[in-house]
Each structure stands twice: as C-alpha cells, then as structure tokens.
Amino acid sequence: MARHVLLKVDSTMNEAARLAPGLSGPAWIFAHEQTAARGRRGRDWRAPAGNFSATLVLRPREGLAQAALYSFVAALALEAALAHVGGPHARLSIKWPNDVLLNGGKIAGILLESLALPRGAHALAIGIGVNLAAAPPRDALEPEALPAVSLAGETGLSVEPVEFLPMLAQAFAHYDRQFQDYGFDPIRNAWLARAARLGEEITARTGHETHRGTFETIDATGALILTGPHGRRAISAADIFF
C-alpha cells in the first residue's frame, strides 16, 4: 500500500481529494503538520506538533454502500495500534461511532468522506487524528464532550507520528482482510468486545432530537441500537454523550 509523507499540508483530507484521481490503489497520506485540519461536521481538529494526522484513500469493493462500515475497521485498527504502543496498562475502548478512548478520554477520532472521481467513480477517504503528544484543553471542547487525552499524558510513553504510521497501516490491513474475506460479522463482534458503555445508559443526539436509553448493540449496518422508554430504536448517525 502506497504511503505519501508530507512535511506540511492544509489537511490530509484535502490532500486526499487532490491525489485520489491519480491513485492506482489504496494509499496513506501522512503529514507532519496540518494547518486546517477538521473533524466531524466541519469542526476544527487541533493537530499540534507530535500528534498523528493521516488519511487513507481506498475504493471499497462493494462501493459506497460498504463505505460507512469502514469506520469500524478503522477504529479497530486504531485501538490495536495504540494497544501495541501503550502496552497492557493502556485502558482502551471505542466510542460509537468512531472515537477511540484511553482511560475514558478521547485520544483519537476518525472522519469518513466520499470523494468523487472521474467517470462517476468514487473513493473513500478515512481521516485519522491521534493525540500522541498533546491534547486540546477542556475549554476548546464542546461543553458536554468527553475530555481529550494524549498517549504521553496518560502513559508517559512517546512515539513519533511517522513511526506510528506503519503500526496503524499494518493493523488496518489485518482488519481489512477480515472484512473483505468474511464480511462485517467478525468486525462487528470485535468492535462490540471493545465498545465503551455497552449495556449502559447513554444519550444520542440527532439534529434537534435527543434519545436516552441503554446501548444494546450495533446492527449489521453499524447502526446503534438503543433501548429506552419508547422501545428499541436504530440510530445511524448521532453524537453520543455519557
């Protein structure tokens, strides 16, 4: 799998969109520095020196119908790479739909975007940001958001971002092979084994609606299944609060 290593870029997601039409296969785009990184729903993503920023560009075999499930593949790969770095004392979990937590705080986020290619084709860009060295302060976050943490702050361990890239790429390749060979079921089972607050009460906000209930599972489409006072509800997109 190709790797493009850049000293500085506006965002690896933007660079992915620029490079995608000319790529012959999957490629990682890594940057030592981003000047205009973004997260979900256009939110700013702070990426100070020493943190990890990369985007994987690929073309899902089943097209965009399969694309959303790659957030679970990416989350498992991130959790595995961080476990390799952090060792047995790193308490990691995955928050639906696409955040990785360390000791209960957010250490990494994932952003998926569809990229239009010539002749009606599409590619998928999977943006990944990891707080290896530093985390944004509490006042930079939304009021009810989980605290942000870093690998260095929680464990005292340090790893260079460019050294983290092959760890993540190897873990992603492992879970992607499972996904391609056996479908979503093994990915779903592995994800649920690492899911934060599974079986507990959570809050899901979808636009102007708020739903509270027990996080029961995720279904075959990756939707969150919430059981509350009004029964069982499948939620395909939401912000989750504990």
Side-chain angles (χ1 to χ4, degrees):
M1 191 175 291
R3 296 177 192 175
H4 300 257
V5 177
L6 309 171
L7 290 177
K8 188 175 182 178
V9 72
D10 52 354
S11 87
T12 58
M13 294 295 279
N14 290 348
E15 187 69 6
R18 291 188 286 262
L19 292 178
L23 295 175
S24 59
W28 285 94
I29 300 162
F30 167 87
H32 288 278
E33 182 182 354
Q34 291 189 110
T35 59
R38 65 182 185 278
R40 292 179 65 230
R41 302 186 182 180
R43 296 165 181 153
D44 289 339
W45 177 273
R46 298 193 178 189
N51 282 0
F52 179 86
S53 301
T55 295
L56 173 62
V57 182
L58 52 77
R59 299 189 189 188
R61 189 168 62 186
E62 302 299 326
L64 292 181
Q66 189 187 55
L69 298 180
Y70 266 101
S71 68
F72 300 93
V73 176
L76 286 171
L78 255 179
E79 191 270 348
L82 286 166
H84 178 76
V85 173
H89 301 298
R91 186 167 57 89
L92 294 159
S93 59
I94 305 174
K95 177 176 175 282
W96 190 90
N98 49 16
D99 292 336
V100 178
L101 309 183
L102 172 61
N103 298 338
K106 179 175 174 177
I107 187 174
I110 299 164
L111 175 65
L112 271 62
E113 290 184 355
S114 171
L115 304 176
L117 301 177
R119 295 182 291 278
H122 289 82
L124 178 66
I126 306 173
I128 295 174
V130 187
N131 300 329
L132 293 178
R138 182 76 206 192
D139 60 10
L141 306 175
E142 296 182 5
E144 294 179 90
L146 287 175
V149 300
S150 69
L151 179 71
E154 293 297 307
T155 68
L157 300 170
S158 64
V159 59
E160 290 297 320
V162 74
E163 295 173 357
F164 187 74
L165 177 59
M167 302 178 201
L168 177 59
Q170 182 178 9
F172 188 94
H174 167 75
Y175 283 110
D176 190 30
R177 281 193 299 271
Q178 283 194 4
F179 187 33
Q180 297 301 324
D181 292 345
Y182 305 109
F184 186 56
D185 276 352
I187 299 299
R188 175 179 176 272
N189 291 336
W191 190 96
L192 285 169
R194 297 158 174 80
R197 303 298 177 93
L198 184 67
E200 298 182 24
E201 185 171 292
I202 63 172
T203 298
R205 290 186 185 151
T206 59
H208 298 294
E209 293 186 320
T210 297
H211 308 286
R212 292 184 180 85
T214 300
F215 176 15
E216 182 180 328
T217 187
I218 59 172
D219 68 14
T221 70
L224 181 146
I225 305 300
L226 200 66
T227 303
H230 303 291
R232 206 164 179 257
R233 183 188 301 270
I235 298 173
S236 59
D239 287 321
I240 301 300
F241 300 90
F242 298 155

